[in-house]
Amino acid sequence: MASVTATAFIVHEKGGPFTETAVRLSQLRDDEVLVDLRATSICHTDLAVQHGKIPMQFPVVLGHEGAGVVREVGTAVSSYKPGDHVVLSYASCAQCRACLAKKPYQCETATLQQFGGKRLDGSSAITHVQDENGSWVPTDAFSTCFFGQSSFCNPAIVREVSCVKVPETLPLEVICTLGCGFQTGAGAVFNVVRPAERNIQHVAIFGVGAVGCAAVMAASHLRNTTGSQYHIIAIDINDERLAIAKELGATFTINSRSNNLLHELKAITSNGVDAAIDCTGVSEVVADMFSILSVGGVAVQVGGPPPGTKFALDVFDLLIKCQSYVGCHQGNSYSKEFIPQMAKLYSEGTFPIEKLQKQYPVRDIGRACAEMASGKVIKPVLLW
Ligand SMILES: [Zn+2]
Ligand SMILES: [Zn+2]
């Protein structure tokens, strides 16, 4: 392809704003797809990198919940063609043992694929930026290829592994959110807790932002369809979010700022919670999660603290109570199958994702991030 010009929203330094800039894209690699984005929703991981909580080299082009229409495909791409509608998800190598076993969430190069800032061959999907004088400046130091997509840039060069084909009848500006946050929360329930396979009476979800609300929707759906009888307990410090969680199927809600959380949980469960999902990544919350976990219970770690965070666990207690502590990345989801499954549930009205969303013109990316960070909006969606 001839050199393509694109519009990117670039963060130049730790904590810096998103700056709209004209950029030039590289040639498409054999295993890449050029996507005209319709929408990109914002995930907390974008903000975590912007503010230096997850290390990446600046300047950086973030964005990892994109959705759009395929414009062009690389020579080795056979599963997609121009005109296809795609939701963009996380990247993987497609070659390691985990990837070959349809477990790309365990890919050996997972961290590098999402946060490495370059293609694996060291090159960049964005080659030049236009400076204030209109000159094109090379971007050797830039981090791009974020989650195989950097979808705060339109059009975006996307790894084929990150693309998931979706029906053209579904609104891309809603289902873009399936790419990371939603699949993470729903996958924790579908793929890890698997309530129908356990004798569960209480599922507790700590933190009901976008990921936690997805977990509530999934737990509610499986309760309604598998005949399992369990209560869903939503915990947060924001009453508005708790009200939404209740609307989505939570049986009990607890504001842990204005109540004694453990006291409330003991009153509800008596034996503790059988499955707990932490969507906060806050060490104190993880400690609370363990102190209320039942004998034989499973605790799922979904929320990500800054890399290097340590947490003290009573190992003897874990052993004697036969408890499990499971790390869960991207909902342990095989996106190419799981995202279409969730998109179908959305189209049937089971997953009302739009209730979590607020749309913004892409140029309002700064306001969108601020409103998410303050808790005013659960899931901002940028429209291109
Ligand atoms: Zn792999
Ligand atoms: Zn994310």
Side-chain angles (χ1 to χ4, degrees):
M1 74 182 186
S3 178
V4 170
T5 305
T7 302
F9 290 80
I10 301 173
V11 179
H12 284 272
E13 61 199 2
K14 180 179 166 179
F18 292 90
T19 309
E20 182 178 350
T21 311
V23 301
R24 270 187 187 155
L25 305 183
S26 98
Q27 297 289 316
L28 266 192
R29 293 287 192 267
D30 293 351
D31 64 345
E32 289 176 338
V33 176
L34 185 66
V35 178
D36 286 310
L37 296 167
R38 295 282 173 77
T40 307
S41 50
I42 305 173
C43 171
H44 275 285
T45 304
D46 295 310
L47 304 193
V49 176
Q50 180 191 13
H51 294 284
K53 291 174 186 160
I54 298 174
M56 277 186 79
Q57 181 173 306
F58 291 96
V60 61
V61 183
L62 299 166
H64 65 289
E65 291 186 351
V69 180
V70 173
R71 187 198 292 189
E72 196 175 331
V73 300
T75 53
V77 174
S78 57
S79 309
Y80 303 91
K81 59 179 191 310
D84 282 349
H85 284 211
V86 285
V87 165
L88 310 182
S89 192
Y90 66 98
S92 54
C93 78
Q95 291 167 3
C96 72
R97 192 171 59 153
C99 285
L100 293 175
K102 283 194 177 181
K103 294 180 178 178
Y105 46 90
Q106 294 176 356
C107 177
E108 288 169 9
T109 61
T111 305
L112 200 58
Q113 297 278 352
Q114 319 322 321
F115 302 107
K118 301 276 184 229
R119 294 184 177 110
L120 286 190
D121 67 7
S123 67
S124 179
I126 295 174
T127 60
H128 294 79
V129 291
Q130 196 167 41
D131 69 11
E132 56 275 20
N133 306 316
S135 309
W136 291 101
V137 182
T139 58
D140 299 334
F142 277 55
S143 292
T144 63
C145 308
F146 187 58
F147 283 69
Q149 56 181 281
S150 282
S151 53
F152 289 162
C153 175
N154 185 31
I157 287 184
V158 183
R159 292 274 313 283
E160 182 188 14
V161 287
S162 293
C163 294
V164 179
K165 203 164 163 176
V166 289
E168 287 175 26
T169 48
L170 299 183
L172 292 166
E173 66 276 14
V174 176
I175 61 171
C176 54
T177 295
L178 296 175
C180 177
F182 199 90
Q183 118 171 314
T184 296
V189 176
F190 271 79
N191 304 321
V192 182
V193 172
R194 306 171 75 94
E197 296 171 21
R198 297 173 197 264
N199 181 18
I200 280 180
Q201 291 180 327
H202 297 94
V203 179
I205 296 156
F206 292 78
V208 283
V211 171
C213 280
V216 171
M217 283 189 227
S220 173
H221 167 65
L222 292 178
R223 182 181 55 190
N224 295 340
T225 53
T226 62
S228 304
Q229 300 288 325
Y230 52 85
H231 295 293
I232 302 165
I233 307 167
I235 299 147
D236 204 287
I237 54 175
N238 179 323
D239 281 328
E240 286 170 33
R241 289 181 181 193
L242 290 170
I244 290 172
K246 188 130 206 176
E247 214 179 301
L248 297 173
T251 332
F252 299 100
T253 59
I254 304 172
N255 185 320
S256 56
R257 185 167 275 168
S258 50
N259 292 280
N260 182 325
L261 175 64
L262 297 182
H263 183 268
E264 297 283 322
L265 282 171
K266 273 179 195 141
I268 293 169
T269 66
S270 67
N271 294 323
V273 301
D274 310 297
I277 301 173
D278 174 56
C279 304
T280 71
V282 176
S283 300
E284 292 79 9
V285 176
V286 179
D288 282 347
M289 171 167 78
F290 269 96
S291 63
I292 197 65
L293 196 63
S294 72
V295 172
V298 59
V300 186
Q301 191 59 47
V302 169
T309 301
K310 303 277 193 286
F311 166 70
L313 189 63
D314 186 329
V315 178
F316 183 80
D317 217 37
L318 183 87
L319 172 165
I320 206 84
K321 291 181 177 170
C322 303
Q323 295 167 329
S324 318
Y325 187 25
V326 187
C328 174
H329 173 227
Q330 290 287 341
N332 290 6
S333 311
Y334 179 55
S335 309
K336 287 185 191 284
E337 289 175 1
F338 193 58
I339 287 178
Q341 192 186 341
M342 288 189 296
K344 183 164 181 288
L345 289 168
Y346 160 74
S347 70
E348 293 166 355
T350 301
F351 283 169
I353 307 165
E354 72 285 352
K355 281 190 180 168
L356 310 177
Q357 295 176 326
K358 180 180 171 185
Q359 298 181 348
Y360 302 79
V362 69
R363 285 190 175 149
D364 286 347
I365 185 171
R367 181 165 63 92
C369 288
E371 292 189 356
M372 178 166 71
S374 72
K376 188 176 167 193
V377 173
I378 293 181
K379 178 57 73 175
V381 179
L382 304 171
L383 302 178
W384 290 94

